Amino acid sequence: MRADLLIRGGRLIDGTGSAAFRADLAVVDDRIVAMGALHDWQAGNVFDATGLAVAPGFIDPHVHHDEALLTDPLLACMTSQGVTSVINGNCGFSIAPLKYRGVLPAPLDLIVEEQRPRFEQYKDYRAALEKDPPSVNSACLIGHGTLRINEVQDLRRPADARELKAMRAALDQALSEGGIGLSTGAFYPPARAATTAELTAMATVASAHGKLYTTHMRDEGDAVIEALHETFQVGRDACCGVQVSHHKCAGLENHGRSTETLALIDAAMKQQSVGLDTTPWIASATMLNSGRHKQATRVIVSESVPHPELAGQDLTDIAKQWGVSLDEAIARLIPAAGIFFIMDEADVQRILSFKHTIICSDGIHKGSHPHPRVWGTFPRVLGHYVREKNLFSIEEAVKRMTSMPADRFGLGQRGRLALDHFADITIFDPATIAERATFDSPVQPARGIAAVYVNGRLVWDGEKSTGARPGRHLDQTATPQAV
């Protein structure tokens, strides 16, 4: 038998959580066609994976690379850490459909550049990706905040009946054109005035399409319990599956509260379709004037439009240098983004350990000094939390990065090493894999990633991008599963 690619001698971690097993793997075109002792098989391309783990390509269900897929299509920050598929449009902000022609409010300005063309319909964005594909597969949620910016005349108030009707119609169209679900971000100013009823009215459209409602909740700090109840209520009233994005307990006063939040999520899961994802870091990142500096023990300025030379410096140092308060320093720095140390390590580990938690990076592809999660999230889990901390098994970690997000978002034949599944494959060294990216030096590829294939084509050769761009736009090809 002959294949296009043979991966020989590796330990296959199939993505289901089952124990790893030694086997060869054969790929023809973009599909896995055989696994086992393939002694009689030949191929034009043979990869010796002896001593290495062979896993499904990692799926990042929460990123903000909507525009980066077009401006940096090799997306080395993803392929270098083993990611083969991403889901954009999170936190209520998507690149499409975007009709608004004015200056974009934060945080949409972190995702979409002012000078770039705007996509008034989702199908136009999809066509751009299909015409000029990136190295990774991608799906995109449709952002409620983006729709609000398009339609609501005064973002400081709830949408009126006419505006809500227009937003629902735009969402319906975008989901029909390939959007994979609805995202909201009532934490952010463009959507903060939205009522629970407005969120529910939007979620019913997602429900009609059989797609998920994902949310950066209204509060992840002092009112995190109330925000969870609102999230569950939206799901119940809209008959829609809900996904709690990057779950955390933010701020010193809320450290330790993951015991409460996880118990609440666990109870809700017994009554309705609820899922969650999280990042393996004690710091978050978002627009600098988010108010999170009041909850943080440290803030790093990752980008400032008026003061780009200050990227990478601590906010407190900048404020002292200028002789002003933190609030005044922020006012001088914006538009800007920041990295906020607001979580407790015990909470991070507790949320990671929760059996239903999916791994995400929440990466924002912008600025000269991004959060290290942009380059290092998945290797950090496999290195720090699996190998060093023994938080869970390597098979369990891979499951949380592959089949769990694939099932939750309905990505069909991805997320597993299985016959006739797409050949999205990451080969790595369990003994050495680790993030190189740090808060001081965040733009660095990981250690221990030997090779990454997307749809059967090599996109990362262990040291650099190959230049191949076989990524595809992903529709929902299976019904999202409850976790």
Side-chain angles (χ1 to χ4, degrees), residues 137-152:
N137 304 308
S138 66
C140 193
L141 300 158
I142 306 303
H144 166 245
T146 296
L147 298 177
R148 276 192 126 247
I149 290 167
N150 287 341
E151 304 293 349
V152 178

Side-chain angles (χ1 to χ4, degrees), residues 112-162:
V112 179
E113 296 284 351
E114 289 288 348
Q115 68 273 19
R116 292 281 303 171
R118 298 187 185 178
F119 301 98
E120 293 192 3
Q121 299 181 78
Y122 184 79
K123 67 180 181 181
D124 298 331
Y125 174 57
R126 176 177 182 165
L129 291 174
E130 291 175 340
K131 180 181 178 181
D132 194 18
S135 291
V136 298
N137 304 308
S138 66
C140 193
L141 300 158
I142 306 303
H144 166 245
T146 296
L147 298 177
R148 276 192 126 247
I149 290 167
N150 287 341
E151 304 293 349
V152 178
Q153 295 301 306
D154 183 355
L155 294 173
R156 296 169 297 179
R157 61 164 172 77
D160 62 28
R162 182 195 61 79

Side-chain angles (χ1 to χ4, degrees), residues 192-436:
R192 198 167 288 162
T195 62
T196 304
E198 180 180 323
L199 301 179
T200 303
M202 299 301 292
T204 58
V205 179
S207 178
H209 285 263
K211 296 180 177 180
L212 289 177
Y213 166 81
T214 74
T215 182
H216 180 146
M217 298 191 305
R218 199 177 294 274
D219 196 287
E220 296 173 313
D222 296 349
V224 64
I225 298 299
E226 293 83 352
L228 281 168
H229 282 300
E230 179 185 47
T231 296
F232 304 151
Q233 180 185 340
V234 170
R236 288 193 305 270
D237 292 349
C239 299
C240 189
V242 300
Q243 182 78 5
V244 178
S245 294
H246 45 55
H247 182 47
K248 64 177 72 71
C249 296
L252 290 172
E253 296 300 316
N254 299 300
H255 288 179
R257 294 189 70 189
S258 60
T259 55
E260 299 174 61
T261 63
L262 293 175
L264 190 60
I265 291 169
D266 193 47
M269 284 178 166
K270 295 177 172 62
Q271 306 296 324
Q272 62 186 107
S273 175
V274 176
L276 75 160
D277 46 62
T278 201
T279 69
W281 307 89
I282 60 169
S284 67
T286 188
M287 59 188 197
L288 189 61
N289 57 333
S290 62
R292 285 215 155 135
H293 66 289
K294 298 175 183 177
Q295 301 172 309
T297 57
R298 179 189 179 193
V299 180
I300 301 171
V301 176
S302 57
E303 179 189 30
S304 169
V305 173
H307 294 282
E309 74 280 2
L310 297 179
Q313 295 193 28
D314 278 30
L315 178 63
T316 52
D317 293 339
I318 295 170
K320 287 178 182 177
Q321 178 183 337
W322 287 346
V324 299
S325 68
L326 294 182
D327 287 334
E328 176 58 28
I330 290 171
R332 293 188 188 184
L333 289 163
I334 60 174
I339 299 166
F340 303 85
F341 290 75
I342 55 173
M343 281 93 78
D344 178 63
E345 177 65 21
D347 284 321
V348 170
Q349 293 194 27
R350 192 175 294 116
I351 295 169
L352 282 171
S353 299
F354 185 57
K355 66 180 181 179
H356 299 295
T357 300
I358 293 169
I359 306 300
C360 76
S361 73
D362 193 15
I364 302 173
H365 187 282
K366 194 173 183 185
S368 61
H369 196 96
H371 192 299
R373 66 192 184 186
V374 175
W375 286 81
T377 289
F378 293 85
R380 177 171 174 78
V381 172
L382 293 167
H384 181 65
Y385 286 109
V386 170
R387 188 177 62 244
E388 297 175 5
K389 294 294 185 181
N390 295 310
L391 204 59
F392 35 64
S393 70
I394 193 169
E395 292 89 350
E396 178 67 18
V398 169
K399 177 182 176 182
R400 292 162 182 260
M401 301 172 178
T402 57
S403 67
M404 283 176 65
D407 291 350
R408 185 62 179 156
F409 287 88
L411 300 184
Q413 292 175 306
R414 300 188 191 270
R416 290 175 173 82
L417 298 181
L419 297 183
D420 203 37
H421 275 52
F422 289 100
D424 296 341
I425 300 167
T426 292
I427 303 173
F428 65 93
D429 185 351
T432 63
I433 190 168
E435 81 279 13
R436 282 196 181 103

Side-chain angles (χ1 to χ4, degrees), residues 85-102:
S85 298
V86 299
I87 297 177
N88 286 303
N90 283 283
C91 297
F93 299 94
S94 58
I95 193 172
L98 182 57
K99 298 187 298 182
Y100 182 75
R101 292 298 174 187

Side-chain angles (χ1 to χ4, degrees), residues 19-34:
F21 57 96
R22 191 172 304 282
D24 305 327
L25 184 149
V27 174
V28 173
D29 192 16
D30 62 354
R31 302 277 181 155
I32 298 169
V33 297

